[in-house]
Amino acid sequence: MGGCPRVDHRDYLLANRFDEVDTIVIFDNVLIPWENVLFYRHTRAAIFIRATLHRYSAFAFVQRTLKQADQMIGTALFNARQTGLEKQPAVQEKLSELAIWREGINAHLTASIALGETFPAGLMMPNQSLLMIGRCHALNNLPKMMHIARELCGGQICVTPNVATFESPETKPWMDKYYTINDHWVAEDRRKLLAFARDLLNSDYAGHRLTFQLFAQSPPFAQSAAVYRNFDWDGPLSFVRNGAGLSDNVMHDVIEKASDGAVSKHYADALRKSVDEL
């Protein structure tokens, strides 16, 4: 696991353990045995695979961003608590923004399972509207959240020396003196935290990871298109039609249903199951 090792893994805790190698593989004049060919000149099959690829994979992908949110919150909060800055309302506001983003991701993941739906082939899958909207919520806000976490960590992640400076006999006494805040936060723990924060938010690894998260499954406009395809537009249309007292004429291409079809179906299925068990 991991890409090219950095100078010292203690300065790049994430890049040395979790970096990924993105590669372009070119097959030039190679023999592919027919038993390994899934389809040949079948563009509709290729379109189908591309269109359905993320019905399940998007869940794990959004989970990945959830863990990234936890890393950012923990890093920012530790940095604020070193000197008691988390007691300031302005700092609490920024930490709350990170928490709102994180819990929004978690809520979409949880709801997509609780309100799961049936795949056309009969298998269960996460609720597609909730999952795709959760993916957009996670990724569209990722750059802003990284910036907030960077603000909460401050300029320390730019100027803190590497581990060699903390260990060198000539500079170690100075590092120990000026990087120790109190009995709870001594120089070595601060160095470790700031090295982690730098790798998470400010390194080439951090920039690569941000771009990867934004584009790995599809470009942002395609993710929004997935929301458009999976959202149940008939529910809100039916809700407004009934509220405004519109005639049947406006429903010529709309299926009459509850405003939240997934929730209604969930409780209808639960009620039906209870009745069957009686």
Side-chain angles (χ1 to χ4, degrees):
M1 181 184 293
C4 298
R6 310 303 170 108
V7 176
D8 192 311
H9 72 278
R10 292 172 294 176
D11 288 322
Y12 299 93
L13 291 87
L14 295 169
N16 274 286
R17 291 184 294 170
F18 305 113
D19 202 1
E20 298 165 316
V21 180
D22 297 316
T23 306
I24 296 177
V25 180
I26 299 175
F27 294 96
D28 182 26
N29 193 24
V30 296
L31 175 65
I32 306 296
W34 277 110
E35 60 266 24
N36 294 335
V37 176
L38 299 177
F39 54 85
Y40 175 67
R41 293 187 178 182
H42 192 343
T43 55
R44 290 182 62 189
I47 293 171
F48 175 79
I49 290 175
R50 188 69 183 91
T52 59
L53 178 64
H54 301 313
R55 282 178 173 169
Y56 296 95
S57 68
F59 189 90
F61 188 75
V62 178
Q63 273 187 317
R64 173 190 177 111
T65 312
L66 181 68
K67 294 298 103 181
Q68 193 171 356
D70 285 336
Q71 288 179 323
M72 290 159 58
I73 291 172
T75 301
L77 184 55
F78 265 139
N79 270 282
R81 283 187 173 178
Q82 290 175 6
T83 53
L85 288 176
E86 87 280 6
K87 298 180 178 64
Q88 294 187 3
V91 173
Q92 292 177 358
E93 180 186 26
K94 292 183 182 300
L95 288 167
S96 296
E97 283 193 66
L98 289 171
I100 291 167
W101 173 58
R102 190 265 182 206
E103 290 294 71
I105 300 171
N106 188 41
H108 280 93
L109 288 172
T110 303
S112 71
I113 293 298
L115 300 176
E117 53 190 322
T118 305
F119 185 80
L123 301 175
M124 287 297 294
M125 64 180 178
N127 182 285
Q128 294 298 285
S129 180
L130 288 167
L131 181 58
M132 298 309 170
I133 289 174
R135 183 173 67 173
C136 285
H137 167 72
L139 300 183
N140 291 349
N141 287 292
L142 178 57
K144 178 184 176 182
M145 295 302 116
M146 287 185 70
H147 182 66
I148 289 176
R150 196 180 294 116
E151 279 190 282
L152 290 168
C153 291
Q156 306 168 91
I157 57 177
C158 298
V159 299
T160 296
N162 59 15
V163 67
T165 305
F166 279 82
E167 293 183 345
S168 171
E170 295 181 355
T171 52
K172 180 175 172 32
W174 298 106
M175 296 297 102
D176 289 343
K177 179 179 181 179
Y178 290 105
Y179 269 83
T180 295
I181 296 178
N182 50 45
D183 292 339
H184 300 291
W185 282 100
V186 297
E188 178 60 9
D189 280 328
R190 285 199 72 208
R191 183 202 65 76
K192 289 179 179 178
L193 178 63
L194 292 171
F196 185 91
R198 178 179 59 219
D199 212 12
L200 177 67
L201 303 168
N202 226 45
S203 65
D204 60 335
Y205 166 77
H208 173 270
R209 193 175 183 188
L210 172 61
T211 304
F212 179 88
Q213 288 296 97
L214 289 175
F215 291 97
Q217 289 220 310
S218 56
F221 77 87
Q223 295 178 30
S224 296
V227 170
Y228 188 87
R229 291 193 302 271
N230 287 282
F231 183 76
D232 187 358
W233 302 101
D234 289 338
L237 289 173
S238 300
F239 190 63
V240 170
R241 180 256 186 168
N242 294 327
L246 303 178
S247 70
D248 291 341
N249 295 333
V250 303
M251 302 294 283
H252 66 283
D253 57 351
V254 180
I255 300 175
E256 181 80 30
K257 58 176 62 174
S259 60
D260 197 326
V263 174
S264 298
K265 182 179 183 303
H266 171 76
Y267 284 106
D269 290 345
L271 179 62
R272 192 179 303 110
K273 182 179 179 181
S274 299
V275 171
D276 292 342
E277 292 175 350
L278 292 178

